[in-house]
Amino acid sequence: MRSLPRAGVAVLAVVGLALLAACSGETTPSPETTASASATASAAAPSDTTAGLAAAREYERNGQYEEAVAAYQGVIQQADGQTQQQARYDLALTYITIERYDDAVAELEAYVDAKPSPEDKQRARFLLGRTYATLGETDKARRSLEDYADDEGPATVYAHLELAQLLIQEGRYAKAAQELEKALTLDVPPSLEPTLLLRLADTYQEAGDDKEAIQWYDKLLQKSPSDDYKALALSRIASLSRSLGDGERWRQALLDILEKYPESPQAPNALDSLLAAEVPLDLLTQGIFHYRQRAYDEALAAFDSFLAGNPPAPQAAVAHYYRGVIREGKNELEEALADYEACLQLDPGGDSAEDAALARALLLEEVDRPLEAAAAYEQFWQAYRDSPWAARAAFLSGLIPYRASDPTAVSAAWEEMLDAFASPEQRAQAHLWLGQTALLFLDDPEGAAAHFQQALEAAAASFYGLRAEAWLGDQAAVALPVGPEGTIAAAAPDWEATEGWMASRWGPEAVAASMSPLELPAWQRGQELQRLGLAREATNEFLSLIDQSRSQPWSLYRLARALHDLGLTHMAARAATALLQSPDVRLEQAPRALLELAYPLDYLPLIDAAAAENGLSPLILLAVIRQESFFDPTAGSPAGALGLTQVMPTTGSEIAAELNIEDFSTLDLMRPLVSIRFGAHYLHSQLDLFNGNLFLALAAYNGGPGNASRWWESLPAADMDLFVELMDITETRTFVKVVLENYAMYRFLYGGAAQPSLLASPGP
């Protein structure tokens, strides 16, 4: 990994100087002095080496690796004792991050020679083992990792895995299998178990012990929650079964791949192998396979042939559903509708019926048959109330007559929605739109105000509650996300009041809490992995603890506090958010200390600098980052977006060119100072494109400016609420709503607003 191009950090040089000044008690230099000082800022070291160490760590955390290296070196030269040792260890971690492995080894060896505590020594041994392995010095790597494993440190399971990988590279499969089996006898993290099982099965296969390998692939098949692992295990089982002459097991494994995991990379080879062996495959299975592989013409031909044979109704219904999806993709809309209707008629309670019912409703709206669409949406949510789409369908059954100016049908649909759905946000949504109906169509301002007030009472801090506040204020101006908003700082947390609030809801901690998550092995492993610089592995451990604690408010509270104390802001925010999502918790009434954990101020110097550069409020950047990554700089999306602000690599390259940054690399997006600056630039550009309209800019940030323009141009008149609801990309609609909710909460916590609000001048 390279260091950040100098053009990328020049604008943020003041951040580093401010950090050093803050740590050493000096005054922050004026903007006029930073230009000349920036060239030497990274080499400067404060007289207080403890403060220098803190500044170095902040540089490293921000992704300013050159500056971090220089600052750590300065501390090592000036300090002695524990401070020098801490700087040396942290410098080694930074060297590993930027792939200067020889330098990392030198620092770690010096660290060990200085006789640290036994725990610290073993931790250095683990890092030495991984680093020596990267350098190809396998004997040294093995000895170091064996030292850690023999001492049974918290990350011993990871040490066994590292040792096994070294032994596999040397062709010592029996010894590697022993290491992996040792690892599996330990308390294995759920996220690591499939990897261990796969490595062990592969090791036995490499050793030529096919029967033992099959047994371990079977265990992987049984225990892994991942379809990817299961398809891979079946593929390996099929291959080994064939070599052992077990044709029945071979055939069944391949059929299982086709039927259960048709989207997997192993599926095409499974189909080819079965066809080559003349194993009879029904056309429905072939059609679904081709569909999942996006070979739509082949899929359509298979479904046509299958249906021509007059199959039983349940199978015919499945074929009609898939054929409908393909025809819809080909813009054969009436034919697609006919297929969806055939699916529902043939097997109304079948596996494909729910999907077909929803697809039919959506398509009826698209082909401009609104009355039928509204009826179809109502039929859908009445039949499938447990569907994640049920509440949305109920809302759309009212939105269609709303757009057709039919207030009677509107009121009937949304009143029925109020009776059927109990979540605060769903109730706030129904009341908001019933209020708009009363105001716009029924000339009933008092009735409208009553509905808006009920929306506020249901969920004041939700998007719909915030919009109800705007309607009560006669559509008062939305606070613009531009310019400074005064001093932004967190209040001193009142934990005593917070714990009193919790006890009033869930009882005293000693009674309500089960075993503390801080007593579980995963907590110890997570801390150890964090100290070893294995951030992703540590995150997996902490996420598992949060998931285990979701039904235990006191456990979540203690976990959030402990994660915050470790400096893991993103993990503390997730734990606190899980606590605040407990039933009957009204977000706007929760203790401020908990809210500040869930809506943290992190990377604030970088955010302030990027906001100032782009004329933005820091609070809107905080709101975007919270939704995009929860302040996790290593975050990545399935689509390929990276970093705190989830910038796509192609967009990152365009932004780098606009900012005249040369030699940009996709990996730079994982550096907070780059990600924050690029995200701020992109948001500013969308605000410029859409004349400062925050709703459109956020829609463009997530869904692209083309989609934002398309949705806006489809409106009969400027209507921000309708604009949000007409977004046909669920992710973008959710993104816009949640970022605006975040922005309102950040304005309340840190911007001086009296309550969560989007209004320019919220009421008292």
Side-chain angles (χ1 to χ4, degrees), residues 109-128:
E109 292 286 13
Y111 180 86
V112 171
D113 288 344
K115 296 181 172 54
S117 70
E119 295 83 3
D120 290 340
K121 179 179 179 180
Q122 290 305 88
R123 202 169 291 126
R125 286 293 183 198
F126 185 98
L127 286 176
L128 278 167

Side-chain angles (χ1 to χ4, degrees), residues 519-534:
E519 298 173 7
L520 297 175
W523 174 251
Q524 303 302 323
R525 274 198 309 272
Q527 291 184 89
E528 181 78 345
L529 292 165
Q530 194 68 31
R531 295 186 190 105
L532 291 169
L534 302 180

Side-chain angles (χ1 to χ4, degrees), residues 54-137:
R57 287 172 171 170
E58 192 72 8
Y59 277 134
E60 193 276 335
R61 188 170 187 266
N62 291 342
Q64 296 168 277
Y65 298 123
E66 292 177 357
E67 290 85 348
V69 167
Y72 282 131
Q73 289 173 340
V75 173
I76 291 168
Q77 291 169 4
Q78 298 179 32
D80 55 19
Q82 187 63 24
T83 301
Q84 185 187 61
Q85 281 289 84
Q86 289 174 348
R88 200 180 294 282
Y89 184 86
D90 290 351
L91 176 57
L93 287 176
T94 304
Y95 279 143
I96 291 171
T97 299
I98 60 178
E99 300 179 358
R100 289 173 57 177
Y101 298 113
D102 287 318
D103 291 328
V105 165
E107 294 300 334
L108 288 168
E109 292 286 13
Y111 180 86
V112 171
D113 288 344
K115 296 181 172 54
S117 70
E119 295 83 3
D120 290 340
K121 179 179 179 180
Q122 290 305 88
R123 202 169 291 126
R125 286 293 183 198
F126 185 98
L127 286 176
L128 278 167
R130 286 173 56 91
T131 309
Y132 279 133
T134 302
L135 292 170
E137 299 186 46

